[in-house]
Amino acid sequence: MRKHPWLVLGGVLAVVFLLGLAIAVAANALSNQTDDLWAKISTAGVGVALTTVAGAIAAGGLKFLDEKRSRDQERRRLFHDVVAAYNQVKACRRGMEALGLVGSGVPSPRSGTNLRAEEVKELRSIMSRLDDAQLRFEALKREVHQSDLFRNKIDVEQELKLVEDYINKVALSNWQKCGKSVWENEPADVLQNLGLQEFHRFFEWNISKRLDHLTELLQAELFGGRR
């Protein structure tokens, strides 16, 4: 019964409707005049039946619109959260490029020099923001899994999982193991263990393309197609 409240409500309304009609028919059979008591009861029975139907339709329509509006708001909020997390990951990638740690012209982190204090500070800030973005993707994946907001729920959840797995396994797991070696005046060679160049090299395929597809899925749910 908890899973099908509309069936219970529909059953109750049907009983009231039929009861109203039964009263109207019975009273009409007993009526001898158009304005006697039985005629009035018959009219009242018809009124009860019609009012029940009209009220049910109106209440059902309002409830449907309210639930749809609430559902759309939740889906838009999740869509915006996905875009915000994606932008944060892209900002982290650009920060790595600005430090000269990754890029098409960077085969590997520089060697033969020591890390400067400002480099260490910026890299730690970048990795902290990347960790925050990964946790946001993980939370969004869990939210999609536990809700029924999307018709393509499995596809949406899968894309979120692939993105957060890539961030976690390629960048953050290495940082967790080797980040303790990244400090001021340490040899820059320690950066080679972080896997940041690999993270950058396959970024387009494992993050950008995944999130482009996810964006199309969410837009189709919200707006009926890609815009």
Side-chain angles (χ1 to χ4, degrees), residues 29-208:
L30 295 172
S31 174
N32 295 320
Q33 299 179 9
T34 58
D35 59 349
D36 63 7
L37 177 61
W38 291 113
K40 293 179 180 179
I41 293 176
S42 177
T43 301
V46 174
V48 168
L50 295 178
T51 300
T52 299
V53 173
I57 293 174
L62 291 174
K63 182 176 177 62
F64 172 78
L65 292 175
D66 185 64
E67 289 180 348
K68 184 178 184 301
R69 187 182 301 111
S70 177
R71 182 185 181 89
D72 286 346
Q73 288 176 348
E74 283 298 303
R75 292 193 296 182
R76 285 190 174 91
R77 190 266 309 161
L78 192 143
F79 174 72
H80 292 152
D81 287 348
V82 167
V83 173
Y86 180 25
N87 288 337
Q88 186 167 333
V89 175
K90 288 195 297 183
C92 291
R93 181 198 188 197
R94 290 170 183 168
M96 295 175 191
E97 291 175 342
L99 281 176
L101 302 179
V102 297
S104 57
V106 184
S108 63
R110 71 180 194 275
S111 61
T113 59
N114 293 339
L115 294 172
R116 297 187 297 272
E118 59 271 20
E119 291 178 316
V120 173
K121 180 180 179 181
E122 181 60 23
L123 178 57
R124 288 190 170 277
S125 176
I126 289 171
M127 298 308 293
S128 177
R129 296 196 302 273
L130 187 63
D131 182 65
D132 177 66
Q134 185 270 330
L135 291 175
R136 292 175 70 181
F137 277 119
E138 186 177 357
L140 290 168
K141 179 193 68 177
R142 189 179 303 111
E143 182 177 353
V144 170
H145 177 74
Q146 294 174 349
S147 71
D148 293 315
L149 291 175
F150 301 99
R151 293 187 299 273
N152 293 324
K153 173 180 175 178
I154 295 178
D155 292 337
V156 172
E157 184 180 353
Q158 177 68 9
E159 296 295 355
L160 289 171
K161 181 181 186 303
L162 290 171
V163 169
E164 70 100 0
D165 275 353
Y166 181 76
I167 298 172
N168 188 34
K169 294 177 180 178
V170 176
L172 295 180
S173 61
N174 289 329
W175 176 252
Q176 186 176 2
K177 290 184 293 185
C178 306
K180 57 182 176 289
S181 301
V182 181
W183 294 106
E184 181 184 1
N185 293 325
E186 290 292 329
D189 292 340
V190 300
L191 300 176
Q192 297 179 16
N193 299 323
L194 300 182
L196 299 182
Q197 186 66 9
E198 180 184 357
F199 175 76
H200 177 273
R201 184 181 299 116
F202 300 104
F203 185 93
E204 293 294 331
W205 177 258
N206 289 284
I207 294 182
S208 294

Side-chain angles (χ1 to χ4, degrees), residues 10-21:
V12 172
L13 292 174
V15 170
V16 174
F17 176 74
L18 293 175
L19 182 61
L21 287 182

